[in-house]
Amino acid sequence: MRERPGDAFGRLREFLDRSLFPVSPGQATRFKGWEAGLVILSLVALAAVLQLFRLGPSTALNSLWAEDGPVFLGGALTHGFFDAVTTPYAEYLVVTPRLIAELGTLVPLRDAPVVMNLATVILIAVSGLAVWFASAGHVRSPYLRGLLVALMVLSPVGTIEAVATPTNLAWYMAFAVFWLLFWRPRTTWGAGLGGALVLMTGISTPATLLFAPVALLRAISIRSRRDAIVVGSYALGAGIQLVAMANNTEAVPGDVWTTSILTTFLQRVVDGSVLGLDLSGEAWLEWGWPFLIAIVLAVATYLVAMLVRAPSSRLFAAIALLASVVTFLVSGYTRALGDVMVWHSGVYNDFAGRYAIVPALLLLSAILALLDSHYRSGKQRMPALGIAVAAVLLASIITSFDVRGAIDRDEAPWDESVRAAAARCEAKHLTEAPVAISPPGWAMKLSCGDLGSAD
């Protein structure tokens, strides 16, 4: 007797429910109602403050980085709201950074970086909160889940360009979207909040388009209106972004494949995800290829052993690993990153560290999900291997916490740059003047009227 299509589809859905989209277990908590809300707000505030301390609060709140100035704040000051928010940049929509820049125009010009960068670190903290809830189905240990959130919020592979800057906020949000696609919301309002984050990310970066296969599997496994909200938000954001990219007329660099991109992946993602940027870079300087090969073999051995022994999350881990590789290779291909990010013998750099954030976090998601699954079925609560893995990853966070290096955002303080530009306007009777921002060589032009009122 031939199997009916409906039976096969039903079995596929059941398999997906078990292996990829499990319902997170209900957990008793000592906090209820307003107490739970207070705890959540406190944790979000702590995550935001820690991000500011990576640069130093005074520097983080008194500087603009790269596109934050001429593209986002400049666009908000010179264009109408709708025109500014819907204007693509680098061939795609960047709605969230542009909305943050709009917030910067609501306060005096001298305070624009405070509002913009505070909004950024809060949104990253909220994205971390989303990962906390969304990853509960595959990482049930609160300790390992908290470690995953810390690795996201304080990314050890991120550099100065990815801390407290709206320009690169979408990388963190994209990682949250990956996890939200595996989430089974328990409440409609929770699904709505998660869907809003998914939608805003979709219209702010094309990176989430790489998660389309996961979204398709999630659509097959829809069980409720809450599930449909998350999947529908992804589809809406992806559709809008694709239309904007198809209609883009902005000239962008062509795609370039570089042979060093695979080496770069091993250095920046595999090595960096375990040791962080600074430790892995220093190890490369000291020992070079022998050490890198040893780290890669250690990670590969761990993953193979866990994929064999873990009773669950194996398919999830395989998808996360594949997504890690694909995300980095696609970024490297479209932005020609292999030759500029690679570490040559005797030297390492932190250039373009933002492109390693999502791939490294996806690799770490696989590592922690398999670890949680393996020991969830055992008797021991915190075995030696779990402690060792957590200790190494915590060390990577600590050693890479301070992102100030050869380029310091304090080299172009916003208040000093505004005063200097205002003085130039007055001395030379100009209508507009350049305002220096970070990194060195970047500047934005502002009208002398705005500069005079700010000064």
Side-chain angles (χ1 to χ4, degrees):
M1 183 176 176
R2 280 176 32 178
E3 182 180 53
R4 290 182 298 178
D7 295 336
F9 184 73
R11 277 199 297 274
L12 173 61
R13 295 185 67 183
E14 291 175 1
F15 170 75
L16 292 176
D17 289 346
R18 291 194 310 271
S19 58
L20 287 181
F21 311 115
V23 177
S24 58
Q27 297 179 347
T29 175
R30 70 181 68 180
F31 302 110
K32 302 291 184 181
W34 67 269
E35 291 180 333
L38 182 61
V39 170
I40 289 174
L41 288 176
S42 299
L43 292 174
V44 168
L46 175 62
V49 169
L50 288 175
Q51 292 174 73
L52 296 178
F53 271 93
R54 298 190 74 182
L55 288 166
S58 59
T59 299
L61 299 177
N62 190 34
S63 62
L64 291 179
W65 178 266
E67 288 89 346
D68 293 346
V71 177
F72 300 136
L73 181 59
L77 289 170
T78 57
H79 295 76
F81 174 82
F82 183 79
D83 185 32
V85 169
T86 58
T87 299
Y89 176 70
E91 78 179 327
Y92 55 86
L93 287 175
V94 283
V95 172
T96 301
R98 289 195 182 279
L99 285 175
I100 290 175
E102 292 292 333
L103 292 177
T105 65
L106 301 179
V107 297
L109 184 62
R110 64 178 179 272
D111 297 324
V114 176
V115 173
M116 293 172 63
N117 295 345
L118 271 180
T120 298
V121 296
I122 290 173
L123 274 176
I124 292 175
V126 169
S127 298
L129 185 66
V131 171
W132 168 267
F133 286 109
S135 61
H138 288 283
V139 186
R140 298 186 182 181
S141 166
Y143 304 106
L144 295 180
R145 213 168 351 130
L147 178 58
L148 177 62
V149 173
L151 288 164
M152 171 196 167
V153 173
L154 305 174
S155 172
V157 299
T159 57
I160 190 172
E161 63 182 2
V163 179
T165 163
T167 293
N168 294 308
L169 162 66
W171 294 108
Y172 301 91
M173 297 173 66
F175 177 65
V177 168
F178 176 81
W179 271 110
L180 286 169
L181 290 173
F182 291 92
W183 182 41
R184 293 280 190 187
R186 290 182 172 272
T187 62
T188 301
W189 69 268
L193 292 175
L197 180 58
V198 171
L199 174 60
M200 291 306 301
T201 308
I203 57 178
S204 300
T205 174
T208 57
L209 297 175
L210 298 175
F211 305 149
V214 177
L216 177 59
L217 295 175
R218 189 70 177 84
I220 294 173
S221 189
I222 287 177
R223 295 289 186 180
S224 66
R225 180 177 61 182
R226 298 186 297 274
D227 295 346
I229 290 174
V230 176
V231 177
S233 298
Y234 176 87
L236 179 59
I240 295 173
Q241 188 66 262
L242 285 171
V243 170
M245 293 173 67
N247 293 325
N248 174 67
T249 57
E250 183 181 1
V252 293
D255 301 333
V256 178
W257 175 261
T258 53
T259 56
S260 57
I261 190 64
L262 295 177
T263 300
T264 307
F265 175 80
L266 298 179
Q267 294 171 331
R268 292 297 195 97
V269 178
V270 180
D271 193 4
S273 65
V274 177
L275 298 180
L277 180 65
D278 288 340
L279 277 182
S280 59
E282 293 296 334
W284 171 261
L285 288 181
E286 189 70 23
W287 297 294
W289 272 103
F291 183 83
L292 178 61
I293 292 173
I295 287 292
V296 172
L297 288 177
V299 173
T301 301
Y302 169 93
L303 290 171
V304 170
M306 284 297 186
L307 284 169
V308 172
R309 301 178 63 181
S312 62
S313 294
R314 286 180 291 184
L315 181 56
F316 165 82
I319 290 175
L321 292 173
L322 180 61
S324 174
V325 175
V326 170
T327 300
F328 191 80
L329 294 186
V330 169
S331 298
Y333 173 65
T334 56
R335 301 302 184 194
L337 298 175
D339 291 337
V340 295
M341 289 182 69
V342 70
W343 296 344
H344 298 285
S345 179
V347 63
Y348 83 97
N349 64 75
D350 60 3
F351 181 78
R354 61 190 182 276
Y355 291 102
I357 292 175
V358 174
L361 288 172
L362 291 171
L363 174 59
L364 290 167
S365 295
I367 289 174
L368 295 177
L370 290 172
L371 182 65
D372 180 85
S373 172
H374 176 66
Y375 289 115
R376 196 190 313 154
S377 61
K379 302 289 186 181
Q380 296 172 294
R381 297 183 60 185
M382 185 56 70
L385 178 60
I387 294 175
V389 170
V392 170
L393 296 180
L394 282 173
S396 73
I397 295 176
I398 294 171
T399 57
S400 299
F401 183 83
D402 188 349
V403 296
R404 294 169 297 180
I407 299 176
D408 196 334
R409 295 255 288 267
D410 198 34
E411 293 180 13
W414 176 254
D415 55 356
E416 294 182 9
S417 295
V418 168
R419 282 197 295 269
R424 194 176 300 111
C425 284
E426 183 176 358
K428 298 184 177 181
H429 306 289
L430 304 174
T431 58
E432 62 178 15
V435 179
I437 60 173
S438 297
W442 281 76
M444 61 179 296
K445 286 188 176 181
L446 291 174
S447 73
C448 288
D450 290 336
L451 288 168
S453 61
D455 188 48

